[in-house]
Amino acid sequence: MSRGFVKEGDQEEIPMVLPRAFLPKDTPNYVTPEGLRLLHDEMETLKKEWIDAGSNYITKNYLDAKMRLLSDRINTAVLIDPAKAKPDVVSFGMYVKYNDKVVRIVGVDEADASKGLISFVSPIAKSLIGKNKGDKFEITIPRGTEMIEIQEVAISISSELSAMSHEQSAENNKQKAIKKDVVQTDVLISTPHDEVEQSDSLILKLSDTKETCSQQSIANSQSQKSEFRPSINITEFLPLVNEQGNIVGRALYCEIHNGNKVLHPAVHLLVYNSQKEIVARYWWHVSFGETAEKTLKHKIKDMNHNIKPKFKKQYIRENKDEKELVSVFTAIYDGEILATPDGKKWDEIFEKD
């Protein structure tokens, strides 16, 4: 800031406003009901501090900057009610007891490792989401590997889990007091630490995991020569819709592909050549906050194809694992195109198109 614009009596620079908790680009800002209340409470506190600052414009500018960052988090918040989650399946907002440790998966602004609150974008949370009570799997950590066993999954914390959580908080605070100047890089599993979520070196290796998504097996069974692979992210939240296509909620990928039969939107693209022969069949889930047309547009762009699709029809596709509101598009294209799989499972996806 130019010193020429600093009022006499306010001879200090405006403090730097630190960014808020890390949220990866294009990742929805999921929050629990408690987390959203905390954001609003924080805003009220900042407003009061702004009023109390009186004529101190430096403090007010600083608070304005903080409120702008906070306002963005509030305006983009996607509220997830864990009470609607499927019991015994780890999802956002749930309490999880694993290897005699208790954590809760929360939004990035709610995360507090000392209280066992871990961000949903952290490596350990990503490894837990979608798993079931009793599941065992292995993850890679900086000091080697560790086997994880999920012992309990709960929407609300029981007295037993609460006591265990408090013991962990006390122990974490004790360790911080002893080693406050030491950077711990190996506490991903030993404590519910969330500060390693930005590390690209922490690669999760899952083994002996239960397949809960019906389309996962399709993607994995594609031959090496197939270039097209449907994007599958079992920790992604997808929109839930009614039969008219209006969004009525959201749920994790795994939660809507395990027989719950909750309706969610998908898009199919049938590509013909000029001889009216089908040369490719693609499908994608419609992303949360998008229309089928918008999802299709950016998927085509990702494939670098000059395809101009036309809407054909919409119908409900249902099998033992899922229920989709499918928007079907067609296109004529004679250029080079990504190969798609064939086989019974793949054919079943498009049998009503």
Side-chain angles (χ1 to χ4, degrees):
M1 171 186 251
S2 170
R3 303 298 297 179
F5 291 95
V6 178
K7 295 180 180 178
E8 186 177 354
D10 286 321
Q11 298 299 313
E12 58 177 318
E13 295 292 342
I14 299 176
M16 178 184 293
V17 178
L18 297 176
R20 297 192 66 85
F22 173 68
L23 182 66
K25 184 180 179 182
D26 298 327
T27 300
N29 180 27
Y30 298 120
V31 298
T32 64
E34 299 91 335
L36 188 57
R37 284 196 295 271
L38 288 174
L39 292 176
H40 284 292
D41 289 345
E42 184 181 350
M43 180 63 79
E44 291 304 312
T45 298
L46 291 176
K47 288 179 178 178
K48 184 178 184 302
E49 292 177 359
W50 192 92
I51 294 173
D52 293 342
S55 60
N56 188 330
Y57 87 100
I58 290 181
T59 299
K60 284 192 168 182
N61 284 345
Y62 171 67
L63 293 171
D64 281 337
K66 291 190 70 174
M67 286 191 286
R68 281 194 294 272
L69 293 177
L70 176 58
S71 179
D72 180 67
R73 284 294 169 89
I74 292 175
N75 292 335
T76 60
V78 179
L79 180 62
I80 303 296
D81 185 358
K84 299 179 181 179
K86 184 179 180 182
D88 295 335
V89 178
V90 181
S91 61
F92 183 90
M94 303 284 272
Y95 290 90
V96 186
K97 177 183 177 183
Y98 71 94
N99 295 11
D100 295 325
K101 305 173 183 69
V102 179
V103 298
R104 188 188 186 196
I105 301 172
V106 298
V108 294
D109 290 293
E110 306 171 64
D112 185 340
S114 67
K115 298 178 181 178
L117 303 175
I118 63 172
S119 164
F120 73 99
V121 302
S122 65
I124 185 62
K126 289 180 179 179
S127 73
L128 293 171
I129 290 176
K131 302 299 188 304
N132 295 270
K133 178 180 176 180
D135 279 355
K136 296 180 181 180
F137 55 96
E138 189 178 76
I139 68 171
T140 297
I141 58 175
R143 64 171 181 267
T145 61
E146 183 158 347
M147 181 62 69
I148 301 296
E149 179 180 0
I150 298 179
Q151 299 160 294
E152 296 288 342
V153 181
I155 295 172
S156 58
I157 193 164
S158 65
S159 57
E160 178 186 357
L161 293 183
S162 179
M164 184 175 293
S165 180
H166 286 310
E167 289 176 4
Q168 288 177 190
S169 296
E171 180 62 24
N172 290 341
N173 290 333
K174 179 180 178 181
Q175 293 298 325
K176 284 185 176 181
I178 296 173
K179 302 181 180 180
K180 65 180 180 179
D181 295 325
V182 179
V183 178
Q184 298 185 48
T185 60
D186 62 347
V187 292
L188 177 60
I189 299 302
S190 60
T191 61
H193 201 300
D194 198 47
E195 296 175 5
V196 295
E197 64 191 25
Q198 299 184 52
S199 173
D200 292 330
S201 63
L202 299 176
I203 302 174
L204 300 178
K205 179 182 179 182
L206 307 183
S207 62
D208 299 325
T209 56
K210 183 179 180 181
E211 291 284 351
T212 58
C213 304
S214 64
Q215 303 306 335
Q216 183 74 51
S217 59
I218 296 175
N220 291 340
S221 66
Q222 292 181 32
S223 64
Q224 293 296 322
K225 66 180 180 179
S226 297
E227 295 181 55
F228 173 75
R229 294 176 181 270
S231 56
I232 294 175
N233 179 359
I234 65 172
T235 64
E236 177 186 10
F237 280 90
L238 297 176
L240 306 181
V241 297
N242 57 24
E243 294 187 1
Q244 289 71 46
N246 300 316
I247 295 178
V248 296
R250 63 191 66 81
L252 282 169
Y253 181 102
C254 278
E255 294 175 331
I256 60 180
H257 290 84
N258 61 359
N260 284 332
K261 300 294 184 73
V262 287
L263 190 62
H264 57 284
V267 58
H268 290 186
L269 175 62
L270 307 180
V271 183
Y272 297 79
N273 59 22
S274 55
Q275 283 74 47
K276 297 184 179 180
E277 301 168 327
I278 293 182
V279 294
R281 298 175 296 178
Y282 304 112
W283 69 262
W284 301 275
H285 285 101
V286 176
S287 300
F288 186 82
E290 292 188 349
T291 62
E293 290 82 0
K294 186 173 182 180
T295 290
L296 180 59
K297 183 178 180 180
H298 73 69
K299 293 296 184 182
I300 290 175
K301 184 178 179 180
D302 290 343
M303 292 193 299
N304 295 317
H305 289 340
N306 186 25
I307 296 175
K308 297 181 180 179
K310 292 183 179 180
F311 177 75
K312 179 182 179 182
K313 67 177 183 179
Q314 191 174 71
Y315 69 95
I316 292 178
R317 171 181 172 269
E318 183 175 351
N319 60 27
K320 64 181 179 64
D321 297 306
E322 62 174 326
K323 187 176 182 180
E324 293 180 328
L325 180 64
V326 180
S327 296
V328 182
F329 292 80
T330 62
I332 297 176
Y333 186 69
D334 287 312
E336 292 187 6
I337 197 162
L338 291 177
T340 54
D342 53 22
K344 183 178 179 181
K345 286 187 176 181
W346 195 256
D347 292 341
E348 287 175 351
I349 295 175
F350 303 94
E351 62 183 357
K352 293 183 179 181
D353 287 8

